[in-house]
Amino acid sequence: MAGGEQDMLSTEIVNKGVIESSGPDAGALTFSVRVRRRLPDFLQSVNLKYVKLGYHYLITHGIYIATVPVLLVLVFGAEVGSLSSSREEIWSKFWNSTSAAHARYDLATVVGFFVVLVFTMSVYLMSRPRSVYLVDFACFKPDDDLKVSKERFLDVARKSGKFDEASIGFQKRILQASGIGDETYIPKAIMSGENCTTMKEGRAEASMVMFGALDELFEKTKIKPKDVGVLVVNCSIFNPTPSLSAMIINHYKMRGNILSFNLGGMGCSAGIIALDLARDMLQANPHNYAVVVSTEMVGYNWYNGKERSMLIPNCFFRMGCSALLLSNRRRDHRRAKYRLEHIVRTHKGADDRCFRSVYQEEDGERFKGLRVSKDLMEIGGDALKTNITTLGPLVLPFSEQLQFFATLVQRHLFGGGGGSNSSTTATANKPYIPDYKLAFEHFCVHAASKAILDELQKNLELSEKNMEASRMTLYRFGNTSSSSIWYELAFLEAKGSVKRGDRVWQLAFGSGFKCNSAVWRSMRTVRKPSTNNPWL
């Protein structure tokens, strides 16, 4: 096997100390070695075109702030210099008839300068994008009668009669290594063994989770549904007609001119895509509120076949829903929890392998489900490398960017040496890898699976504290798809960890293949909630 291919694999000892009961090795202790594909060490290589893209975003929005003050200082200094240095000499120009014309000329110049200054600042302030605030958010917590332990989950699958023992055993192994606990939630239709992939059951589950989250959101924010001007709903698998956004408008009797959008088929990263769309709508519609609802229908996505790559989503996905209230009203600055700083989106769909890494289709027996590629870890690592490389220039401290730029120049001027010292030269000229822990106080990484979180922690060099919100969300609620990053933020708030000025990085990835980031800044210290938090 080639060395590059070996680097993409990791080994793990399983079934250690098992005593063989039969065969030539009967009575002997044995163990098994599991070989699996892992995330690439993407921090050891940097694609420079994505670094340039990040700096392009930064310069596009910062060039005015950087140049206008300099020009104003130069012009103002020249004009002041044209006047006398002392106040007495300036006043003498106004009262001396021999210098009256010159004084009037200087006065007109100064007045004209201030008119241009006021006009320039007005244009800048009017053209500057409005700040988008997160007033508050809510995460749906299902009733306790929908809780399912790992053992009960396997019993439900066995009693349904739709899985053979090999499929049951495979799901058991997946659950044991998943990082999921015994208090996650699934719909009643799955527990009862009924056909849960019908439109009726899909609508029932959608109504439960969406209206539950929205009721809590409106109660917390004291906003009337008719005050909402923009509504964005994302759900990947279940997309009925009328749409989910229409179901919400009908249920809450929202106003007739509301701008509503329904995003489907966009995977677990769709929550940030919906957030990006809501932000754009708020920029185009000032003095408005926007609501973003992110969810997934577990029952409608249930797979009843025997293909192992399609059984994996059954083991991980659980019920969940989040609802956010966004505002671009300046008066909401005081009561808002967070201000949206950046959104960076990465899409690898042009590559066929990435496009088919998570693919909905029918198996050989015509059962519909999601097929998960064995190369998903590698594909996700490549998308993540692109995303964080683009995000870096927007969020990293200047010292980190300076070190990165210095090593970049060094590689360009002195790199590329050959001969016997080529390996030493390559190591010495390796690009400086910035420390993203200096850019963020809190991390909300999509809780997809334990294996993915382990690899992300290793490659990003994050601490256990950095990963605590993601791991606890996976354990307590499972993979709730696009809403998982909000359960993680709710966990941080429940612990009282979010302080004024803290920066939060939400990172999500999903089918397509997509990797998206959202960066928030806390507007105030978030006190430990007494009610309406799923972690209480």
Side-chain angles (χ1 to χ4, degrees):
M1 181 181 294
E5 181 69 16
Q6 279 186 324
D7 293 339
M8 296 302 301
L9 302 177
S10 64
T11 58
E12 176 185 2
I13 296 178
V14 296
N15 298 329
K16 184 177 181 181
V18 176
I19 300 177
E20 289 291 328
S21 58
S22 60
D25 298 323
L29 290 174
T30 62
F31 66 91
S32 303
V33 177
R34 176 187 297 159
V35 180
R36 61 183 175 87
R37 187 172 291 271
R38 63 176 178 84
L39 278 175
D41 194 4
F42 49 82
L43 289 184
Q44 298 305 314
S45 62
V46 176
N47 195 326
L48 296 186
K49 71 176 181 179
Y50 298 116
V51 178
K52 291 170 61 179
L53 181 60
Y55 278 108
H56 172 72
Y57 290 159
L58 182 66
I59 293 173
T60 299
H61 295 89
I63 190 66
Y64 304 106
I65 301 175
T67 57
V68 169
V70 175
L71 293 175
L72 291 178
V73 169
L74 292 175
V75 174
F76 183 72
E79 291 301 328
V80 171
S82 69
L83 298 175
S84 299
S85 59
S86 66
R87 184 173 60 182
E88 290 76 9
E89 292 180 359
I90 294 175
W91 280 108
S92 67
K93 283 188 175 184
F94 288 110
W95 296 106
N96 191 334
S97 59
T98 59
S99 304
H102 181 65
R104 284 195 298 271
Y105 169 76
D106 285 343
L107 181 62
T109 303
V110 173
V111 171
F113 163 74
F114 279 108
V115 169
V116 172
L117 174 63
V118 171
F119 176 77
T120 303
M121 295 303 296
S122 299
V123 170
Y124 168 72
L125 292 174
M126 293 176 64
S127 61
R128 185 181 62 175
R130 287 177 171 268
S131 296
V132 173
Y133 303 104
L134 174 62
V135 179
D136 213 331
F137 67 98
C139 296
F140 175 67
K141 182 180 179 182
D143 294 333
D144 287 346
D145 61 345
L146 298 179
K147 281 185 180 180
V148 59
S149 64
K150 292 190 284 288
E151 287 301 322
R152 187 181 180 190
F153 180 90
L154 294 172
D155 288 340
V156 168
R158 187 176 289 107
K159 291 178 180 178
S160 68
K162 298 173 182 176
F163 305 102
D164 56 24
E165 283 303 315
S167 299
I168 297 293
F170 174 75
Q171 293 181 75
K172 182 177 181 179
R173 292 192 296 273
I174 291 294
L175 285 170
Q176 288 174 343
S178 66
I180 294 177
D182 289 327
E183 293 189 349
T184 58
Y185 304 91
I186 61 174
K188 279 186 177 179
I190 295 179
M191 294 186 186
S192 62
E194 300 174 0
N195 182 9
C196 55
T197 60
T198 63
M199 294 297 291
K200 178 182 177 181
E201 293 297 337
R203 289 183 186 275
E205 183 181 348
S207 299
M208 179 195 305
V209 299
M210 292 194 309
F211 300 157
L214 286 168
D215 287 345
E216 181 181 330
L217 179 69
F218 291 137
E219 180 183 350
K220 291 170 71 172
T221 59
K222 308 303 179 186
I223 294 294
K224 298 178 181 178
K226 286 187 178 294
D227 295 333
V228 178
V230 179
L231 173 64
V232 184
V233 181
N234 70 270
C235 180
S236 186
I237 299 298
F238 183 63
N239 290 285
T241 300
S243 65
L244 296 176
S245 59
M247 287 175 59
I248 293 174
I249 293 171
N250 175 262
H251 180 79
Y252 291 100
K253 309 303 177 188
M254 292 178 163
R255 65 196 199 195
N257 64 343
I258 189 172
L259 303 175
S260 66
F261 302 88
N262 201 91
L263 305 181
M266 306 197 77
C268 300
S269 65
I272 296 180
I273 299 174
L275 175 65
D276 192 18
L277 176 58
R279 179 187 64 173
D280 291 344
M281 290 298 102
L282 287 176
Q283 296 296 352
N285 297 273
H287 307 292
N288 231 319
Y289 287 114
V291 167
V292 177
V293 180
S294 299
T295 187
E296 192 59 76
M297 300 304 111
V298 177
Y300 197 76
N301 191 41
W302 188 254
Y303 173 66
N304 291 317
K306 300 178 179 61
E307 290 278 350
R308 294 194 171 186
S309 62
M310 302 175 77
L311 284 169
I312 294 175
N314 283 9
C315 300
F316 284 101
F317 285 104
R318 297 292 186 268
M319 292 177 67
C321 180
S322 64
L324 331 175
L325 179 65
L326 305 173
S327 172
N328 59 7
R329 304 186 183 202
R330 290 191 174 93
R331 64 173 176 264
D332 287 324
H333 173 273
R334 291 184 177 274
R335 71 166 181 151
K337 284 186 173 181
Y338 305 92
R339 182 179 69 241
L340 182 60
E341 298 280 315
H342 305 288
I343 292 179
V344 174
R345 293 168 55 182
T346 301
H347 203 304
K348 293 288 186 176
D351 184 278
D352 289 341
R353 196 167 64 116
C354 297
F355 175 71
R356 297 188 67 91
S357 59
V358 181
Y359 201 80
Q360 186 182 24
E361 61 182 348
E362 292 86 10
D363 64 9
E365 299 179 359
R366 310 298 293 175
F367 287 114
K368 182 181 65 176
L370 284 177
R371 187 181 299 278
V372 179
S373 169
K374 63 180 180 180
D375 299 325
L376 184 62
M377 298 277 279
E378 178 188 353
I379 291 168
D382 183 59
L384 181 58
K385 179 182 72 174
T386 301
N387 189 266
I388 65 174
T389 305
T390 307
L391 179 68
L394 301 175
V395 298
L396 288 169
F398 180 73
S399 60
E400 289 292 299
Q401 298 195 47
L402 186 62
Q403 292 185 64
F404 176 80
F405 182 74
T407 55
L408 209 62
V409 172
Q410 180 182 358
R411 291 175 66 226
H412 179 72
L413 296 179
F414 307 107
S420 60
N421 295 326
S422 59
S423 60
T424 305
T425 304
T427 302
N429 292 328
K430 185 173 63 176
Y432 174 74
I433 305 303
D435 185 0
Y436 282 86
K437 295 189 293 295
L438 298 176
F440 308 106
E441 283 74 34
H442 307 289
F443 296 79
C444 297
V445 180
H446 170 50
S449 71
K450 180 179 181 298
I452 290 178
L453 294 180
D454 288 344
E455 294 294 340
L456 283 172
Q457 179 179 2
K458 177 183 176 182
N459 280 273
L460 290 176
E461 298 180 355
L462 301 179
S463 66
E464 286 296 331
K465 183 179 179 181
N466 297 145
M467 299 297 295
E468 183 183 18
S470 300
R471 293 190 186 279
M472 290 303 298
T473 298
L474 179 64
Y475 181 82
R476 176 63 181 84
F477 293 98
N479 183 344
T480 59
S481 189
S482 56
S483 64
S484 69
I485 54 177
W486 295 104
Y487 284 87
E488 293 163 17
L489 187 54
F491 174 83
L492 294 172
E493 290 189 355
K495 289 191 65 178
S497 301
V498 183
K499 311 299 181 185
R500 179 186 176 92
D502 284 358
R503 296 154 298 180
V504 181
W505 182 18
Q506 291 181 318
L507 176 66
F509 36 89
S511 60
F513 190 85
K514 298 179 287 292
C515 180
N516 301 319
S517 291
V519 179
W520 301 89
R521 184 175 293 273
S522 175
M523 304 296 294
R524 55 185 170 88
T525 298
V526 180
R527 305 298 179 186
K528 288 186 179 182
S530 57
T531 57
N532 295 331
N533 187 295
W535 294 94
L536 300 180

